[in-house]
């Protein structure tokens, strides 16, 4: 099974913002890559972006498309070398911090992001940017796994 994190940023980014985001992605330890809107699997029609929107996928490391460790929510033994902290809350914070940085860097008005196991979206939540960290952590805590949720984050 694969754990997936994908989404998009609105509004359409100007070239300066694209350049800044590209630089951010290049220096990120996570595998952030641009994808087509067709790769936003199981998104409802009303949340499919236009063609010029920046769509992304986030994996554990560059070149790897899955967020296997970032969102599995398993507690690993302290000496286990997975390239991330053993604590699932700390790993989730790495992802959330990355999303926050992407929002701030691009001056996004909205980010839509799904966190799923096998691209299955069960719930859609519209949340404010200021509550994003608390809501996402609460969902992972409740499910003890990827919550199969699409978050529409309003900035």
């Amino acid at each position: 099974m694969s754990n997936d994190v994908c989404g998009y940023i609105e509004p359409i980014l100007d070239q300066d913002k694209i350049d800044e985001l590209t630089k951010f992605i290049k220096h990120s330890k996570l595998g952030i890559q641009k994808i087509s809107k067709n790769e936003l699997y199981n998104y409802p029609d009303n949340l499919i972006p236009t063609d010029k929107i920046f769509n992304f996928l986030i994996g554990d490391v560059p070149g790897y498309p899955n967020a296997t460790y970032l969102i599995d929510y398993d507690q690993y033994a302290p000496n286990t070398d997975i390239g991330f902290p053993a604590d699932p809350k700390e790993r989730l914070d790495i992802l959330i911090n990355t999303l926050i940085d992407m929002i701030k860097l691009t001056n996004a008005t909205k980010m839509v992001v799904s966190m799923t196991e096998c691209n299955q979206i069960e719930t859609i939540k519209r949340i404010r940017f200021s509550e994003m960290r608390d809501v996402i952590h609460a969902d992972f805590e409740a499910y003890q796994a990827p919550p199969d949720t699409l978050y529409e984050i309003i900035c």
Side-chain angles (χ1 to χ4, degrees):
M1 289 199 247
S2 65
N3 294 332
D4 303 293
V5 176
C6 61
Y8 60 89
I9 298 168
E10 286 187 357
I12 296 170
L13 303 178
D14 64 25
Q15 191 59 50
D16 288 340
K17 294 296 178 197
I18 291 171
D19 292 345
E20 288 179 47
L21 189 56
T22 301
K23 186 176 179 181
F24 174 81
I25 289 168
K26 183 178 178 184
H27 290 96
S28 175
K29 293 182 181 182
L30 300 182
I32 306 168
Q33 54 188 329
K34 187 171 177 19
I35 60 172
S36 76
K37 70 179 184 179
N38 296 334
E39 295 174 85
L40 297 171
Y41 302 112
N42 296 318
Y43 274 49
D45 289 342
N46 66 321
L47 289 173
I48 297 290
T50 64
D51 286 329
K52 296 183 182 200
I53 293 295
F54 185 87
N55 308 299
F56 61 87
L57 174 75
I58 299 178
D60 290 337
V61 294
Y64 184 68
N66 297 352
T68 303
Y69 295 113
L70 279 173
I71 65 171
D72 68 359
Y73 220 68
D74 291 332
Q75 175 71 45
Y76 292 95
N79 296 336
T80 304
D81 183 16
I82 60 170
F84 290 105
D87 184 331
K89 293 174 187 170
E90 291 178 34
R91 294 193 308 274
L92 187 56
D93 268 334
I94 291 169
L95 174 61
I96 293 170
N97 289 341
T98 298
L99 296 173
I100 288 170
D101 289 345
M102 291 171 69
I103 289 169
K104 288 180 177 179
L105 183 69
T106 61
N107 294 321
T109 57
K110 178 167 87 170
M111 175 184 276
V112 176
V113 63
S114 58
M115 298 179 192
T116 63
E117 185 173 43
C118 297
N119 294 307
Q120 297 304 309
I121 296 172
E122 302 293 331
T123 306
I124 298 171
K125 290 188 175 183
R126 187 171 200 196
I127 60 176
R128 292 185 313 272
F129 175 72
S130 61
E131 64 186 349
M132 160 180 172
R133 184 180 306 277
D134 292 338
V135 169
I136 293 172
H137 269 291
D139 288 350
F140 273 82
E141 191 66 30
Y143 289 95
Q144 292 293 298
D148 294 338
T149 299
L150 185 147
Y151 299 95
E152 183 180 10
I153 304 161
I154 307 303
C155 306

